[in-house]
Amino acid sequence: MASEDVVGKRSESAVTTIVNLAEEAKIASEGVKAPSHAAIFSIAKSLAAGGIAGGVSRTAVAPLERLKILLQVQNPHSIKYNGTVQGLKYIWRTEGLRGLFKGNGTNCARIVPNSAVKFFSYEEASRGILWFYRQQTGNEDAELTPLLRLGAGACAGIIAMSATYPMDLVRGRITVQTDKSPSQYRGIFHALRTVFVEEGPRALYKGWLPSVIGVIPYVGLNFAVYESLKDWLVKTRPFGLAQDTELSVTTKLGCGAIAGTIGQTVAYPLDVIRRRMQMGGWKNAASVVTGESKAPLEYSGMVDAFRKTVRHEGVGALYKGLVPNSVKVVPSIAIAFVTYEVVKDILGVEMRISD
């Protein structure tokens, strides 16, 4: 009988536990609400602001973007592009105005969703990191530190880059090809299909690893420096640059320029390696990117790409195209940040990082 009582009590306890869990689950489910139409509309406007910012900024510097890529991957034994001014003049003379903007359509098709996801992911990551930081410190008024902003920016960069990486790969190839290339990619989808069929699905992510590693300091520093610099200017108000809590468009452009310069300088060698890995395996790249042989360059991985580049061309090759990229990235990042904030103001989207 005693054993039956024990079993009965255990059974009763188990039933009670299950009932309690069911009630808690019911209460929790009642507390979870589907996103409201207003919230969905706000997210859509935030994504739109990021996309517009990316498209405007990249189109403004498209000629420099193309020249940078050509300098990064050109054959070191057959130099066509020798510097920023000479390179732009050469493209204009041989390919005309269209040549300066070649690949920009593909670039915008990639950068618009990339920028939309990046800016939105940064805000969401910042909110999550700030909430966790406040919970850990017990300070409900705590603000994001530069290091935490770096982490949020890195998360945003990785998410956005990974989501749109195949577009970046075909954009690079379309940008590099010229009218004399043996075979032509006719457009974005033709390039994606051709790479998929001829080189396999994994080829769409060639150079992904150095991109992931490079995006951490690049995007992370961009956001961290830009936001921290803005906060510092508002709090200290040097030279009268801040009026109350507002900065002028010119000051914001300056903050974006500084952020872009620091981020791209740190991450540039990884960008060169990524671009060269993207060209590997493309049989029609020989006229542009080959070395001493006529076969396209092949790399077994990121480390191998670094080693071969430095061995055959020297450490300086890791910074090929840095000048046009510096000329490009300063206005590009600055325009992107300011356009994003202006469009958000126009659309009436509130900053939600500190919610």
Side-chain angles (χ1 to χ4, degrees), residues 18-329:
I18 293 172
V19 171
N20 290 337
L21 289 173
E23 290 179 353
E24 291 177 4
K26 182 180 179 181
I27 293 171
S29 64
E30 290 175 350
V32 177
K33 298 180 180 180
S36 64
H37 292 295
I40 294 174
F41 192 50
S42 177
I43 291 172
K45 289 193 292 185
S46 182
L47 289 169
I52 292 170
V56 170
S57 64
R58 284 307 174 95
T59 300
V61 297
L64 290 165
E65 175 69 12
R66 187 181 183 216
L67 178 60
K68 179 203 75 171
I69 296 175
L70 288 168
L71 286 169
Q72 285 179 336
V73 303
Q74 75 173 331
N75 185 342
H77 302 285
S78 179
I79 301 296
K80 295 180 181 178
Y81 312 97
N82 188 19
T84 305
V85 176
Q86 181 275 334
L88 290 173
K89 286 182 177 179
Y90 183 84
I91 295 172
W92 173 268
R93 187 172 65 254
T94 57
E95 301 180 60
L97 180 63
R98 291 184 62 184
L100 292 173
F101 289 87
K102 182 171 286 186
N104 186 55
T106 310
N107 196 20
C108 286
R110 176 192 70 89
I111 203 62
V112 167
N114 178 283
S115 184
V117 172
K118 181 172 63 181
F119 277 101
F120 179 73
S121 297
Y122 174 73
E123 289 194 9
E124 294 302 310
S126 295
R127 290 180 66 201
I129 290 173
L130 181 58
W131 177 86
F132 184 77
Y133 181 58
R134 287 174 174 175
Q135 294 295 314
Q136 292 295 308
T137 60
N139 181 8
E140 291 299 320
D141 296 323
E143 297 296 332
L144 287 172
T145 65
L147 185 60
L148 293 177
R149 287 196 177 104
L150 178 65
C155 290
I158 291 171
I159 292 170
M161 181 275 299
S162 298
T164 59
Y165 191 79
M167 296 294 292
D168 181 66
L169 182 136
V170 299
R171 188 266 301 200
R173 293 193 176 189
I174 290 174
T175 300
V176 164
Q177 73 180 7
T178 66
D179 294 336
K180 296 180 180 179
S181 297
S183 179
Q184 297 283 324
Y185 291 128
R186 295 192 298 271
I188 302 170
F189 296 107
H190 177 253
L192 286 170
R193 184 172 64 252
T194 302
V195 173
F196 185 88
V197 172
E198 294 184 356
E199 302 173 47
R202 291 184 61 183
L204 293 173
Y205 280 87
K206 281 184 176 180
W208 179 82
L209 181 58
S211 297
V212 169
I213 298 173
V215 83
I216 294 174
Y218 181 62
V219 179
L221 283 170
N222 281 344
F223 278 108
V225 173
Y226 181 73
E227 296 290 346
S228 298
L229 194 53
K230 282 202 311 175
D231 284 353
W232 179 77
L233 290 174
V234 168
K235 290 176 182 177
T236 61
R237 300 184 183 182
F239 313 113
L241 292 175
Q243 300 296 326
D244 296 326
T245 59
E246 292 297 323
L247 296 175
S248 67
V249 172
T250 304
T251 304
K252 289 179 181 178
L253 281 169
C255 293
I258 293 171
T261 301
I262 294 173
Q264 67 95 27
T265 301
V266 172
Y268 194 77
L270 286 159
D271 186 56
V272 172
I273 294 304
R274 168 186 64 134
R275 194 66 64 193
R276 292 190 170 206
M277 290 180 69
Q278 288 177 345
M279 300 302 143
W282 179 23
K283 63 178 182 295
N284 293 314
S287 63
V288 181
V289 301
T290 52
E292 296 178 357
S293 67
K294 292 298 181 182
L297 293 172
E298 288 287 354
Y299 305 112
S300 61
M302 182 181 70
V303 176
D304 182 53
F306 265 109
R307 187 173 60 248
K308 286 181 178 177
T309 298
V310 173
R311 184 172 69 239
H312 295 305
E313 302 173 55
V315 176
L318 297 175
Y319 290 91
K320 280 187 174 181
L322 179 62
V323 173
N325 192 63
S326 297
V327 176
K328 168 194 75 87
V329 80

Side-chain angles (χ1 to χ4, degrees), residues 45 49 339-349:
K45 289 193 292 185
T339 303
Y340 178 66
E341 294 192 8
V342 170
V343 174
K344 286 190 71 174
D345 288 341
I346 293 172
L347 295 177
V349 184

